[in-house]
Amino acid sequence: MIISTAPIQDYTALSDAECQQRLGDARDELGDRLVILGHHYQRDEVFAHADFSGDSLKLSKQAATSAAEFIIFCGVHFMAEVADILSRPDQVAILPDLSAGCSMADMANLSNVDRAWKELASVIDPDEEVTPVTYINSAADLKAFCGLHGGIVCTSTNARRVLEWGFKQRGKILFFPDQHLGRNTGFAMGLPLDEMVVWDYDLPMGGLTKEQIKKAKIILWKGFCSVHQLFQPEQIDNFLKQYPQTKIISHPECSFEVCQKSDYVGSTEYIIKTIADAAPNTRWLVGTELNLVKRLHKQFEHQGKSVHFMSPTLCMCSTMFRIDPQHLLWCMDNLIDGNIVNQIKVPKNDAKLARIALERMLEVSK
Ligand code: 13P
Ligand code: SF4
C-alpha cells in the first residue's frame, strides 16, 4: 500500500493554538519511537515540545545516546547533521524545516578551507604544524576535513579544552568558521592578540604575509555570527550607567570587546546555569539570542532576578526561528503515517571522517 505524504501546505495555515493540541496527541502516539531535541534558541511554542533541551554539546551527546528510532532536531542544519553522524545507522535524523541553516556555518566551505590549507603549505607544512579545529557550527564535510587532517570539532562549551588538545598535537591551530570564539578562547588561555591572525578567505594567502603566518599560533577564519555581532561594548556602558550593579554575561561568539567587558562568558548552557545559580534580586545583561533571554527573564522573575537583552534593537536567530509548530507537526504526522520527511543524511564517507573529529571532541570533553 502506498501512503501519500501529507504536504506542508496543509499545515502552514494552522494556528499555533491548534498545533499545540495536535502536537501533544502526535507525541503520545509516537511514544518512545521519537525523541525531540530542542536548542535553547528555539521559540517557546516549539521548545515546549522538546524531550531534551541543551546547547550544541549537550544535544550532540543526547543524539549519540538516544535509543529512539526518530530524532527530530529543533535547531539548525549542522545540529541535525551531527545527530545523524553520531546516532546509529538505523536511526533517522529530521530537521523540520530544511531552510533552517546557520549563516556563520555558511562562511566556511570545503573549497575555501581546502584552498587555505594548500596556500598555507607554501609557507609551512600544515599536516605537521597545524591542527584544524572546526566549530560545531559548520557543515559535515568540514568536520570530515578535520577528521582527515588530525583535527577536531569544538563547541562553545569545550573550546578551551579542545584548543589545548590541538596545541598538544601541533604548534598552530587553524580555527574556523568563528573568529570570535577562537580569539576569545585563545586570549583566555593567555595567547597575545598579535599571535592570532585573521584569515580572509576572499584574499590570496588569506591577506597575510609569510611572517604573520609563521608567527601565528592561531589562524582565525574571518567568520562571525550575524546575531552576536550586533552586541556592542557601548550597549554595556550605557546599561551600566543606568544600573551599575548589573552582571554582564555573554556568549563567546560576541566580539572580543564585548567579552572583555563581560563578567562571565560561556555557552548557552553556561549562561542558563550561571543565572539560575545567582543570588535572588540580581540584574543581568545578556549577550545572546533573544528567545533564550526572554525565557530566562520569565523563568527567574519570581526570584526577583531581572534578565535584560543586551541590544536595544531586537536580534533573533532568524534561521532557528524557521522551526515552527506547523513544521514540527507536519514531520510528526508524517511519521505516524509511515512517511519520513526532511531526513538529514550525511554522505557515508563524510560521516565516517566527521565522526572521527566529533569523537575526539567527545573524548576531550569527558
Ligand atoms: P551553544 O552551543 O552555546 O548553544 O551555541 C550554539 C550557537 O549556535 C550559538 O549561536
Ligand atoms: Fe548560527 Fe548565529 Fe544562529 Fe547560532 S545564533 S545558529 S551561530 S546564525
Side-chain angles (χ1 to χ4, degrees), residues 57-344:
L57 181 65
K58 196 168 160 189
L59 292 177
S60 57
K61 286 181 176 166
Q62 200 61 52
T65 51
S66 166
E69 202 178 324
F70 308 113
I71 303 171
I72 296 188
F73 214 121
C74 297
V76 287
H77 193 269
F78 72 82
M79 298 180 181
E81 279 188 334
V82 170
D84 177 52
I85 295 165
L86 291 177
S87 57
R88 295 189 318 267
D90 59 302
Q91 287 174 296
V92 173
I94 292 169
L95 182 66
D97 186 335
L98 294 180
S99 63
C102 163
S103 55
M104 176 210 281
D106 294 342
M107 291 176 191
N109 58 51
L110 190 56
S111 103
N112 55 25
V113 169
D114 244 337
R115 181 158 50 81
W117 202 250
K118 287 191 182 104
E119 289 183 347
L120 285 173
S122 67
V123 184
I124 51 177
D125 181 353
D127 277 296
E128 291 291 324
E129 296 174 66
V130 184
T131 304
V133 178
T134 187
Y135 189 22
I136 198 163
N137 297 36
S138 58
D141 56 3
L142 289 181
K143 296 181 177 86
F145 177 94
C146 290
L148 183 66
H149 291 278
I152 188 165
V153 178
C154 79
T155 73
S156 53
T157 291
N158 57 27
R160 184 177 179 138
R161 283 213 245 168
V162 166
L163 289 196
E164 283 163 359
W165 179 92
F167 281 126
K168 273 189 207 145
Q169 318 304 310
R170 298 165 191 171
K172 295 182 193 293
I173 282 170
L174 174 63
F175 190 93
F176 45 89
D178 185 22
Q179 59 173 299
H180 300 295
L181 177 64
R183 185 181 295 108
N184 289 323
T185 310
F187 192 78
M189 289 166 69
L191 287 179
L193 288 178
D194 64 353
E195 288 183 14
M196 296 186 273
V197 293
V198 176
W199 183 275
D200 184 341
Y201 49 89
D202 283 327
L203 297 175
M205 291 300 285
L208 299 171
T209 63
K210 287 182 178 176
E211 287 62 41
Q212 282 175 307
I213 292 170
K214 282 183 189 155
K215 191 180 168 214
K217 293 290 285 175
I218 306 185
I219 300 165
L220 301 164
W221 201 256
K222 200 183 173 188
F224 59 87
C225 165
S226 45
V227 178
H228 289 86
Q229 72 151 1
L230 294 171
F231 302 119
Q232 300 294 330
E234 299 75 37
Q235 295 161 353
I236 300 178
D237 296 338
N238 291 338
F239 198 88
L240 285 173
K241 271 185 213 146
Q242 211 182 345
Y243 301 107
Q245 303 304 325
T246 308
K247 293 284 177 209
I248 316 295
I249 188 162
S250 304
H251 194 279
E253 288 174 13
C254 292
S255 71
F256 179 70
E257 294 73 20
V258 166
C259 289
Q260 285 302 300
K261 278 191 184 274
S262 299
D263 300 295
Y264 306 89
V265 176
S267 71
T268 54
E269 196 70 24
Y270 171 86
I271 292 172
I272 295 166
K273 187 172 179 340
T274 307
I275 298 179
D277 293 348
N281 305 316
T282 42
R283 190 181 296 277
W284 293 84
L285 186 66
V286 187
T288 200
E289 208 267 349
L290 184 64
N291 281 292
L292 172 56
V293 180
K294 283 202 304 201
R295 190 173 306 122
L296 283 169
H297 184 71
K298 269 194 251 160
Q299 202 176 337
F300 297 113
E301 216 177 359
H302 72 281
Q303 298 175 0
K305 292 178 196 169
S306 189
V307 182
H308 304 256
F309 188 59
M310 192 176 285
S311 167
T313 54
L314 298 187
C315 40
M316 287 188 324
C317 179
S318 55
T319 48
M320 287 270 182
F321 198 70
R322 287 178 196 263
I323 308 295
D324 57 16
Q326 291 73 14
H327 280 82
L328 180 57
L329 180 62
W330 172 63
C331 293
M332 287 164 69
D333 277 356
N334 270 295
L335 289 179
I336 290 168
D337 289 345
N339 302 313
I340 293 169
V341 290
N342 284 12
Q343 179 174 7
I344 301 297

Side-chain angles (χ1 to χ4, degrees), residues 23-41:
L23 278 165
D25 296 343
R27 185 76 202 73
D28 291 344
E29 190 151 351
L30 286 160
D32 57 14
R33 293 178 68 204
L34 169 70
V35 66
I36 303 177
L37 304 181
H39 186 265
H40 292 307
Y41 292 166

